[in-house]
Amino acid sequence: MALIVQKYGGTSVGSVERIQAVAQRVYKTVQAGNSLVVVVSAMGKTTDGLVKLATEISPNPNRREMDMLLSTGEQVTIALLSMALQELGQPAISMTGAQVGIVTEAEHSRARILHIETTRLTRHINAGKVVVVAGFQGTSSAGEMEITTLGRGGSDTSAVAIAAALRADFCEIYTDVPGILTTDPRLVAEAQLMDAITCDEMLELASLGAKVLHPRAVEIARNYGVPLVVRSSWTDQPGTWVTSAKPQGRSLINLEIARPVDHVEFDTDQAKVALLRVPDKPGVAARLFGEISRQKVDVDLIIQSVHEGNSNDIAFTVTTPILKRAEAVATAIAPALRSQSNPKFDEAEVMVEHNIAKVSIAGAGMIGRPGVAAKMFATLAEAGVNIQMISTSEVKVSCVVNAAECDRAVLALRAAFEIEAGEQGSRGAGESACIDSPLPLRPSVTERSRSAAPLPNCPPVRGVALDLNQARLAIRQLPDRPGMAAKLFGLLAQHNISVDMIIQSQRCRVIDGVPRRDIAFTVSRIDGESAKKMLTQVAAELGWGEVVLDSAIAKVSIVGAGMVGQPGIAAKMFEALAQQQINIQMIATSEIKISCVVAQEQGVKALQAIHEAFDLAGSEKFVVPA
């Protein structure tokens, strides 16, 4: 009937009894007339135990030997599951990543899949066997045949990659929850099960800390059009389908390292409104965007920079036709945002900027590749284009630039990322011919954005996620000229440090005749100290100011393709935080995501408040098995 790839995580195969239960499920699937490949993780906490053994031997174990050690965990599981299937009378064979033909980069502990040699795998499938594959591992393409591992979430990645290579009918990911929920059921027991979610929404949620699926697995599913379903190992519930647009016929060679950027998109129908020196206290963003929502002003990008003293800057972009209305709202509310307690406090100021453009690179191949954003910034610098605002997500990096520099920026980015004219992204409404060379118009909804289009009858916000594993770095007084962002993020990329949120302050100071701005960004907490040390060492010679690290932060985010064109969504999120007296330290948005940085100790309360505000709770309480 169908060729199916199933993946079972460590909890699902954590004991002999659970392995036997998985064998029964696999056996029933085969008896229904299906061909099956099963990918498994190491049993239970096996990997944690192996890591503990290694650290008892060495505080900094060799990465090659760690791959050799950790790859043994999955080998135990595949042998036991194959035996269990054979006991049921089902022909089965266990295979390591190397035996399957999963060829990876020669990069220990975090290798990406290059391609999968499916000949041997197909032969066993055609012989009627269930092939049980060790997830999380492969072998390098070099002659040494080094064992490599894929890093965190590697078994998900293995399963979806095998499904893509075999052109399987679908891939089932079995886990300890009944599907994809609106938030972590460990934090909100009433989290609601979704029937379906788009790949772009899932990419954002997965990258924000939702542990059900790894972003790399979702990326492969999106790029190759693999139908994906997340189901419970303990029940027969239908689970959650992860949907994607029709794939673009990608080659299966260089499967995970193919071109990371699919489109260059641009919109010249934009203007910026900034409120400078608003008080740094709970409720300010809620009041501002609450009034914006009541006046039916649709906002595109929103950023709030890292605070300076007792104040913040908040900026947002709107389309040109509604600029006057947006400016009127900001001007009217500014007096109410001024400090009442300190008469010496600088008054909130409204700053409006016309003639700006938003230029974006888009593609699902950016995940975990810090060099992509750095390349964009370097390309713009080489073209002499200064960046005024930056917005990032898992599938897009957007920069606000001067509209007069739009042509130059788009042509430079198109050349740098090898985007052909026919693959170009959409223009803004009302835009005149913007590019000198022939550039065919695309529909306003591009192929990329169709994969993010909301599913029918779905609420605008699909999920809420909390990331407690980030740190924030702020660099004071960077010279405001082309090349600074390229230099900064190029240095981070050289040290393999991935950046999440990036906020550039709107306030500009002239020091010694040089205009300067602050820039803040978030990184994984484990990279925080090393990033600060590296940047501090170069700050003086590059003319930068102080480098400040804050590791006591949390990032709470809402995700949903249906929030586009609904100005009240941001206001509702900010109001939910204000009601709990939770101060917002930073804000960053993309088309389908709004993220706020708050104090670490308020992270869980923030998530619970936002989840309740959007009425995402279901009637059933989910208990995650131990």
Side-chain angles (χ1 to χ4, degrees):
M1 291 175 64
L3 172 57
I4 304 169
V5 176
Q6 293 183 344
K7 178 263 176 178
Y8 293 90
T11 307
S12 304
V13 292
S15 66
V16 167
E17 292 75 20
R18 289 183 176 181
I19 288 173
Q20 289 172 328
V22 167
Q24 288 284 353
R25 185 185 291 270
V26 171
Y27 180 69
K28 288 178 183 177
T29 305
V30 176
Q31 289 300 299
N34 302 296
S35 299
L36 215 58
V37 174
V38 180
V39 177
V40 293
S41 300
M43 295 175 64
K45 302 292 185 181
T46 298
T47 301
D48 293 341
L50 293 173
V51 170
K52 185 173 183 294
L53 286 173
T55 54
E56 288 174 1
I57 296 290
S58 168
N60 187 26
N62 178 277
R63 283 167 55 190
R64 179 193 182 275
E65 303 309 329
M66 282 300 292
D67 277 3
M68 186 68 74
L69 174 66
L70 296 182
S71 65
T72 64
E74 280 72 20
Q75 288 178 231
V76 172
T77 315
I78 59 173
L80 293 175
L81 181 55
S82 293
M83 293 175 192
L85 286 165
Q86 290 163 6
E87 285 297 304
L88 295 173
Q90 172 58 49
I93 183 168
S94 62
M95 299 178 74
T96 66
Q99 289 173 318
V100 166
I102 298 176
V103 180
T104 75
E105 303 169 301
E107 182 74 36
H108 290 293
S109 79
R110 54 178 180 233
R112 289 182 177 268
I113 298 172
L114 298 178
H115 61 278
I116 300 177
E117 303 282 357
T118 59
T119 306
R120 187 176 181 186
L121 194 55
T122 303
R123 186 170 72 246
H124 287 304
I125 293 169
N126 291 340
K129 297 177 184 176
V130 171
V131 183
V132 184
V133 179
F136 177 67
Q137 62 182 246
T139 182
S140 67
S141 57
E144 290 85 356
M145 293 288 288
E146 289 287 305
I147 291 175
T148 55
T149 63
L150 308 182
R152 187 174 68 85
S155 293
D156 287 354
T157 305
S158 301
V160 182
I162 288 171
L166 290 172
R167 293 181 170 81
D169 291 279
F170 55 91
C171 179
E172 296 178 319
I173 305 291
Y174 285 90
T175 183
D176 52 8
V177 291
I180 298 165
L181 303 170
T182 50
T183 195
D184 187 341
R186 298 167 183 85
L187 302 178
V188 180
E190 297 83 7
Q192 191 171 353
L193 179 68
M194 300 182 224
D195 294 330
I197 188 171
T198 68
C199 263
D200 279 2
E201 290 171 323
M202 191 65 237
L203 270 173
E204 297 288 7
L205 285 172
S207 301
L208 291 167
K211 299 179 178 66
V212 179
L213 274 174
H214 194 272
R216 281 170 61 185
V218 185
E219 174 188 2
I220 296 168
R222 181 188 183 280
N223 285 341
Y224 292 94
V226 177
L228 195 58
V229 60
V230 179
R231 303 182 64 189
S232 170
S233 298
W234 325 110
T235 71
D236 291 324
Q237 292 182 21
T240 305
W241 284 91
V242 183
T243 66
S244 58
K246 185 178 179 181
Q248 299 176 0
R250 283 176 176 253
S251 168
L252 287 162
I253 303 299
N254 292 331
L255 190 145
E256 273 202 283
I257 64 168
R259 190 176 69 188
V261 174
D262 295 326
H263 303 298
V264 175
E265 302 171 355
F266 55 95
D267 183 355
T268 57
D269 192 27
Q270 294 253 319
K272 178 175 69 177
V273 179
L275 276 84
L276 309 185
R277 296 182 296 276
V278 297
D280 180 34
K281 63 182 183 182
V284 171
R287 291 184 69 180
L288 171 60
F289 289 97
E291 186 59 31
I292 286 172
S293 171
R294 284 188 286 276
Q295 298 301 324
K296 307 296 183 186
V297 174
D298 190 17
V299 171
D300 184 3
L301 301 182
I302 303 172
I303 67 164
Q304 178 182 304
S305 60
V306 63
H307 70 88
E308 183 176 344
N310 296 315
S311 68
N312 276 321
D313 301 338
I314 300 178
F316 56 92
T317 61
V318 295
T319 58
T320 303
I322 62 171
L323 173 59
K324 288 189 181 299
R325 198 154 25 116
E327 183 181 0
V329 172
T331 302
I333 202 170
L337 298 179
R338 291 168 185 160
S339 175
Q340 303 300 316
S341 60
N342 187 352
K344 295 183 180 179
F345 190 83
D346 288 336
E347 291 189 343
E349 175 188 351
V350 178
M351 182 176 69
V352 176
E353 190 161 350
H354 306 261
N355 302 318
I356 63 169
K358 183 175 71 172
V359 181
S360 309
I361 56 172
M366 301 181 190
I367 297 168
R369 299 192 212 181
V372 176
K375 183 176 180 179
M376 179 186 191
F377 303 149
T379 300
L380 293 177
E382 289 166 9
V385 176
N386 197 34
I387 300 169
Q388 299 180 25
M389 293 173 70
I390 299 169
S391 172
T392 59
S393 76
E394 286 307 318
V395 294
K396 183 180 281 191
V397 181
S398 298
C399 294
V400 171
V401 302
N402 191 302
E405 298 173 335
C406 172
D407 296 11
R408 199 158 71 246
V410 172
L411 285 171
L413 291 170
R414 192 174 68 184
F417 290 102
E418 300 178 1
I419 306 296
E420 299 295 331
E423 300 169 301
Q424 195 63 30
S426 61
R427 301 175 178 177
E431 180 187 354
S432 60
C434 176
I435 303 298
D436 294 333
S437 59
L439 189 65
L441 277 168
R442 289 170 60 91
S444 59
V445 179
T446 64
E447 186 69 32
R448 194 214 68 77
S449 60
R450 273 200 296 273
S451 64
L455 297 165
N457 304 317
C458 284
V461 174
R462 307 302 314 284
V464 186
L466 176 67
D467 191 342
L468 293 168
N469 296 307
Q470 292 210 350
R472 180 183 62 218
L473 284 149
I475 303 178
R476 303 293 188 183
Q477 300 174 9
L478 261 76
D480 185 27
R481 59 173 178 254
M484 281 296 104
K487 177 70 72 174
L488 169 58
F489 295 105
L491 284 168
L492 293 167
Q494 288 170 22
H495 289 77
N496 203 36
I497 296 173
S498 292
V499 175
D500 184 12
M501 296 171 70
I502 303 173
I503 306 292
Q504 184 171 269
S505 73
Q506 296 304 296
R507 221 177 301 185
C508 187
R509 283 190 168 80
V510 178
I511 301 175
D512 297 329
V514 178
R516 296 172 180 271
R517 297 181 190 271
D518 298 341
I519 193 163
F521 53 92
T522 59
V523 298
S524 173
R525 186 170 296 157
I526 61 173
D527 291 328
E529 288 290 350
S530 59
K532 180 186 176 183
K533 182 178 178 181
M534 181 268 293
L535 293 173
T536 301
Q537 288 172 345
V538 302
E541 68 177 88
L542 294 173
W544 301 349
E546 181 186 11
V547 180
V548 181
L549 173 66
D550 184 357
S551 296
I553 65 164
K555 185 180 74 171
V556 63
S557 307
I558 57 174
V559 172
M563 68 173 67
V564 178
Q566 298 202 37
I569 300 299
K572 182 181 281 192
M573 179 183 188
F574 302 153
E575 178 60 30
L577 296 176
Q579 287 178 0
Q580 297 297 319
Q581 289 297 300
I582 297 172
N583 194 35
I584 300 172
Q585 301 179 16
M586 292 170 65
I587 301 170
T589 68
S590 69
E591 281 90 340
I592 66 170
K593 178 179 71 174
I594 302 173
S595 295
C596 295
V597 168
V598 301
Q600 184 181 40
E601 68 269 14
Q602 295 181 310
V604 172
K605 185 165 74 169
L607 176 138
Q608 292 169 342
I610 293 168
H611 193 270
E612 182 178 354
F614 285 99
D615 197 25
L616 294 176
S619 57
E620 181 181 354
K621 289 191 175 183
F622 291 105
V623 178
V624 179

